Amino acid sequence: MEGGTPTSHREAENMGSGSKRGGWITFPFIIGTAAGLTVAGSGLMGNMIIVYFIREFNIKSINAAQIATVVNGCHNLFPIIAAIIADSFFGSFYVALVSSCVSLLGTVILALTAIIKSLRPHPCNDGSDQCKSPSEFQYAVLYVGMALAALGFGGTRFTTGALGANQFDKPEHQGIFFNWFFFTWYFGSVVALTGLVYVQDSVSWALGFGICSVLNMLAIVIFLLGYRFYRPENNQRGCAFLDLARVLVASLRKWKSQLSSRTEDYYRSQAGTVLVLHDATPGKRLRFFNRAALITDGDLQSDGSIEKPWTLCTVQQVEDFKKVIRILPLWVSNIFISTPIGIQGSLTVLQALAMDRSLGSHFKIPAGSISVVILLSTSIFLTLVDRVLWPGWKKLTGKSPTPLQRIGLGHVLNVLSMTVSALVESKRLKIAHRHRLQEQSNPVVPMSVLWLFPQLVLVGIGETFHFPGQVAFFYQQLPHSLRSTSTAMISMIIGIGFFSSTAIIDQVRRSTDWLPDDINYGKAEYMSLWRGCSANYFEDDEKPGEEVLERKSCCGYFDWADEESVEGRRNEEDVEGYKVEIMEL
């Protein structure tokens, strides 16, 4: 594996000192934890929310779908809350540990509902309209178990990734880790949505949930076994998000103040650290916010400390705030690629239902399992990218691709998948019209469902590039105090994208005739073309002969230094034209 490359200077010091903290020695523990939690979480969430509720709890399909929306929303949005808690108070390790224990408790409760008959209503006879609804107590147990599982798995989803990336110094090693982290995520989902779902449907729900509980417990054990190898996390100095808010408030309060060109007019020290600046002022980009660090009358006490935290901030806090502002345009733009993917997932299931899903004379592909093609292709290509493509790229160009280049390539592939989707749907409608299938109820177009595979494979390959690229980009660009939040931002993108896709489909149904109840009467290929047009990405400018690639956005720049220059400044940070050395007291 590429992770076998020589360790960085900081990693070598850890090894040489006998502490063996950080580096690739932690890799098996982090990935083993992620594997166990991914298989357990996907096996629990992927099949039970609707199928288990309908079959075992006699919940109506519409109500089950509404519950599924709420649970999936929590599962995708709670990681950002867990990341904020990790960055502001307790660190990634303790948040991941507590969250995995919470998910274990929820999984065990759900397993008990499948084992103990009194925790679920009497089974409903097939075709009967008089099904007994769950009691209030049975509802309470079910919802508590579901809530704990969703919150727990959501809390561990990216805090484990942040903890793993914190073990490395080189951006290249961090990128390799994120590739394997996403490979584990996707491949674990494939295993869960095939093997575990089969056990739940064909053997018993109790056995399926029991396996999820055992995997969750094993993940906790593996996580704790690696504790002595993990790097100690820096003690948090208050809430990082409060620091960002202080910069904004202080800037607005001093909006009439004139900026100074003198270094000594800006506040540069904070409790616990000393910042040594060399002949420079705060950065010229987004200069308005420099006012937050501008020293004015009444800002300092007699001992040089800040009189009012909401009127004066350090230069470092201002620069950290600027990093967050610069990242927002790219983060928002990625919602425009996540939303079309969500729409495509919904429409692909409808297309599969209207196509020939037979493979041979005895097997038929379940329409709901068609998304496994995306997960499987992503898992395969993540391995190929890490072992073949990126090493080949580095041999040809002399450097590794930047996260922005990976994100751009992923977006191109997703646009291509939308185009292929439009062509396939156009062909499917032509066949339906030719056979006059619109005149039949629930018709099956004589066209193999395998025609959908190319577009799904392209989506999977696209996710190979842009999802790990986004996580690596956010992790490397955001301040160190927001490392857990940076990895969880992708989950928020996914959650918002899927909610947006639901709203867009609803609006399209109201405003056009593209998506009727019978898609053989519709124009779903128009939706595919529209999705392709909405998936845009930023253009970058690479200056020949320079070591820095600057990516322009609508309000800032992202600066990328090559690996050698990053290697040479482990304990330094370049801040807009001057160097800041951080010395712990």
Side-chain angles (χ1 to χ4, degrees), residues 48-232:
M48 75 150 294
I49 301 178
I50 294 182
V51 180
Y52 184 65
F53 283 14
I54 294 175
R55 290 184 180 177
E56 302 297 325
F57 276 78
N58 304 333
I59 297 176
K60 301 297 183 181
S61 58
I62 298 299
N63 293 334
Q66 290 176 331
I67 296 172
T69 300
V70 174
V71 171
N72 284 323
C74 294
H75 185 57
N76 281 292
L77 296 180
F78 187 73
I80 197 71
I81 300 176
I84 291 173
I85 296 173
D87 285 333
S88 301
F89 303 106
F90 304 111
S92 299
F93 174 82
Y94 290 105
V95 172
L97 177 60
V98 172
S99 296
S100 59
C101 293
V102 171
S103 65
L104 176 62
L105 178 60
T107 306
V108 170
I109 291 176
L110 292 173
L112 291 177
T113 64
I115 296 172
I116 303 175
K117 294 183 177 180
S118 61
L119 293 180
R120 61 183 189 273
H122 292 293
C124 180
N125 296 326
D126 293 337
S128 174
D129 294 331
Q130 298 179 349
C131 299
K132 185 177 180 180
S133 299
S135 65
E136 292 184 359
F137 176 74
Q138 292 169 340
Y139 266 128
V141 173
L142 178 65
Y143 288 161
V144 167
M146 195 71 258
L148 291 175
L151 296 179
F153 286 120
T156 61
R157 194 172 183 182
F158 287 100
T159 49
T160 52
L163 179 66
N166 289 342
Q167 310 306 312
F168 305 98
D169 296 308
K170 286 186 177 182
E172 179 186 8
H173 288 180
Q174 292 168 356
I176 293 171
F177 169 79
F178 281 125
N179 275 350
W180 283 103
F181 180 76
F182 272 89
F183 169 80
T184 304
W185 184 9
Y186 279 95
F187 188 74
S189 299
V190 171
V191 173
L193 294 177
T194 53
L196 271 181
V197 168
Y198 175 81
V199 171
Q200 293 168 353
D201 286 345
S202 304
V203 182
S204 74
W205 289 98
L207 179 60
F209 292 164
I211 293 175
C212 292
S213 301
V214 171
L215 290 173
N216 197 329
M217 175 62 74
L218 287 176
I220 296 175
V221 172
I222 294 172
F223 189 60
L224 292 175
L225 287 176
Y227 175 73
R228 64 192 182 98
F229 299 111
Y230 304 146
R231 285 177 178 171

Side-chain angles (χ1 to χ4, degrees), residues 223-467:
F223 189 60
L224 292 175
L225 287 176
Y227 175 73
R228 64 192 182 98
F229 299 111
Y230 304 146
R231 285 177 178 171
E233 297 182 273
N234 294 330
N235 293 329
Q236 305 295 325
R237 301 185 179 92
C239 180
F241 291 89
L242 280 180
D243 291 341
L244 299 178
R246 291 188 186 108
V247 173
L248 179 60
V249 172
S251 301
L252 294 175
R253 283 185 170 184
K254 299 179 180 179
W255 68 277
K256 291 183 179 181
S257 301
Q258 294 295 322
L259 293 173
S260 173
S261 59
R262 299 191 307 167
T263 302
E264 57 269 22
D265 290 337
Y266 295 91
Y267 189 70
R268 299 164 312 206
S269 64
Q270 57 184 356
T273 64
V274 173
L275 301 182
V276 183
L277 291 93
H278 302 280
D279 302 326
T281 56
K284 295 181 179 179
R285 299 167 185 167
L286 299 173
R287 295 181 60 194
F288 174 82
F289 300 105
N290 292 348
R291 291 173 171 82
L294 184 66
I295 300 175
T296 59
D297 293 339
D299 284 344
L300 297 178
Q301 297 180 355
S302 58
D303 60 355
S305 60
I306 297 177
E307 176 72 25
K308 299 178 181 179
W310 292 91
T311 59
L312 183 65
C313 304
T314 66
V315 170
Q316 188 61 47
Q317 288 172 336
V318 171
E319 296 303 325
D320 287 347
F321 180 82
K322 291 180 182 180
K323 290 179 181 179
V324 176
I325 294 298
R326 292 174 193 146
I327 216 79
L328 290 179
L330 183 63
W331 181 82
V332 172
S333 75
N334 284 317
I335 296 176
F336 288 95
I337 196 65
S338 180
T339 300
I341 292 175
I343 295 174
Q344 186 177 35
S346 300
L347 296 183
T348 300
V349 174
L350 296 179
Q351 289 173 312
L353 286 170
M355 299 174 72
D356 182 9
R357 293 179 281 119
S358 300
L359 287 181
S361 57
H362 301 289
F363 181 75
K364 180 179 288 188
I365 300 176
S369 299
I370 198 73
S371 61
V372 173
V373 176
I374 298 177
L375 300 175
L376 191 59
S377 61
T378 304
S379 302
I380 294 172
F381 277 91
L382 276 170
T383 306
L384 294 177
V385 163
D386 185 72
R387 302 300 297 271
V388 179
L389 183 58
W390 291 157
W393 178 298
K394 190 170 183 179
K395 286 182 180 180
L396 292 175
T397 64
K399 56 185 179 181
S400 300
T402 67
L404 283 174
Q405 291 170 330
R406 296 160 64 183
I407 294 171
L409 181 56
H411 285 195
V412 170
L413 289 170
N414 278 297
V415 171
L416 182 59
S417 74
M418 308 303 171
T419 304
V420 173
S421 176
L423 294 175
V424 171
E425 177 62 12
S426 178
K427 179 179 178 63
R428 192 192 67 81
L429 288 177
K430 287 180 180 179
I431 296 176
H433 294 164
R434 189 184 310 140
H435 290 80
R436 300 179 181 275
L437 296 179
Q438 294 89 341
E439 301 173 1
Q440 304 176 18
S441 61
N442 299 322
V444 175
V445 177
M447 178 179 177
S448 175
V449 75
L450 297 179
W451 278 90
L452 298 177
F453 280 31
Q455 68 196 51
L456 299 177
V457 170
L458 285 172
V459 171
I461 300 175
E463 292 186 6
T464 299
F465 292 103
H466 69 76
F467 275 156

